[in-house]
Amino acid sequence: EVQLVESGGLLVQPGGSLRLSCAASGFTFSDHYMDWVRQAPGKGLEWVGRTERKGNSYTTQYAVSVRGRFSISRDDSYKSVSLQMNSLKTEDTAVYYCARRSLRDGHYFLDYWGQGTLVTVSS
Amino acid sequence: QAVVTQEPSLTVSPGGTVTLTCGSSTGAVTSGHYAYWLQQKPGQAPRTLIYGTTYKHSWTPARFSGSLLGGKGALTLSGAQPEDEGHYYCLLLDSGVRVFGGGTKLTVL
């Protein structure tokens, strides 16, 4: 069974840093791109970024809103992906989901999601 | 970065048909945007119903279908069921970056 479990969500002050982790199980982690998506309380979804596989040099991409502040890394040996968040702003308050990206019919899509971890940025 | 627009809310009668749309501020939505549709119910993580504009996952009920309609991405629900209530999000690929729409709250009533 595919499982994704996020951790690390906390209350942090504006300007602070936080590192989220996502532990994967039930599939060959190294074969998949992994994405982070967030959802502010009562709001819609916002794509944060993704990391590709070793074969794509672990290439990362980010949404404009987090570029330069957030970074995604992965450890295939530990089957985990991390989201390092720096210079946090109150508008970064959200539930953060990690999601697996799979290739099917020539298209990549997010097929499995974790349950999310809450990050609150407040003084 | 593109702004992706969706209807804020729609209502459909049980057994009825409804179409949700997804537009882009950069112009017509095409197959190159690889439109995705996700469903989210309260307290749950989202799940993808449609990817690559028209493809369904194995868990996608047959009553859902994706298409391009009038320069927009579209999700059509034919034969709405009470369990289809929830939020629906469109996701487009724009210049290598994925952008979500604001979501449509679908009520089955």
Side-chain angles (χ1 to χ4, degrees):
Chain A
E1 179 191 5
V2 173
Q3 284 198 325
L4 298 169
V5 180
E6 302 93 338
S7 62
L10 288 173
L11 170 64
V12 62
Q13 291 190 337
S17 297
L18 196 62
R19 186 177 185 88
L20 306 182
S21 295
C22 172
S25 61
F27 65 99
T28 304
F29 180 77
S30 58
D31 284 350
H32 291 268
Y33 295 8
M34 297 297 295
D35 288 50
W36 285 93
V37 176
R38 67 184 180 182
Q39 187 169 34
K43 302 297 184 181
L45 301 170
E46 181 184 14
W47 181 77
V48 172
R50 77 159 186 268
T51 174
E52 300 184 13
R53 299 174 299 181
K54 182 179 181 180
N56 294 79
S57 303
Y58 299 123
T59 296
T60 54
Q61 288 204 338
Y62 301 94
V64 170
S65 59
V66 306
R67 204 170 291 164
R69 299 188 299 122
F70 290 11
S71 64
I72 298 172
S73 60
R74 63 188 294 162
D75 187 329
D76 289 347
S77 61
Y78 283 96
K79 299 183 180 180
S80 69
V81 58
S82 297
L83 177 66
Q84 177 66 42
M85 304 185 292
N86 299 326
S87 304
L88 282 162
K89 306 175 182 181
T90 55
E91 53 263 41
D92 295 320
T93 295
V95 173
Y96 285 74
Y97 296 99
C98 71
R100 186 183 84 166
R101 186 177 292 214
S102 291
L103 178 63
R104 184 172 297 188
D105 300 311
H107 297 278
Y108 284 101
F109 71 105
L110 303 177
D111 57 354
Y112 286 92
W113 297 61
Q115 284 304 303
T117 187
L118 176 62
V119 174
T120 304
V121 184
S122 175
S123 54
Chain B
Q1 183 168 299
V3 175
V4 177
T5 56
Q6 299 182 243
E7 299 86 0
S9 64
L10 290 170
T11 299
V12 61
S13 300
T17 296
V18 64
T19 297
L20 290 66
T21 67
C22 173
S24 173
S25 62
T26 60
V29 174
T30 69
S31 59
H33 287 88
Y34 304 106
Y36 301 76
W37 291 92
L38 299 90
Q39 176 193 62
Q40 187 179 32
K41 297 183 180 181
Q44 296 183 16
R47 69 168 186 169
T48 300
L49 296 177
I50 300 290
Y51 60 94
T53 307
T54 61
Y55 293 90
K56 300 180 185 182
H57 198 279
S58 57
W59 57 51
T60 304
R63 58 185 179 273
F64 289 96
S65 63
S67 66
L68 296 175
L69 189 65
K72 295 183 177 182
L75 175 70
T76 299
L77 170 58
S78 303
Q81 302 296 310
E83 60 265 30
D84 297 328
E85 271 205 357
H87 283 84
Y88 291 80
Y89 294 93
C90 168
L91 175 63
L92 300 180
L93 178 64
D94 182 87
S95 301
V97 176
R98 300 195 179 271
V99 184
F100 279 99
T104 295
K105 182 178 181 180
L106 182 66
T107 301
V108 181
L109 187 63

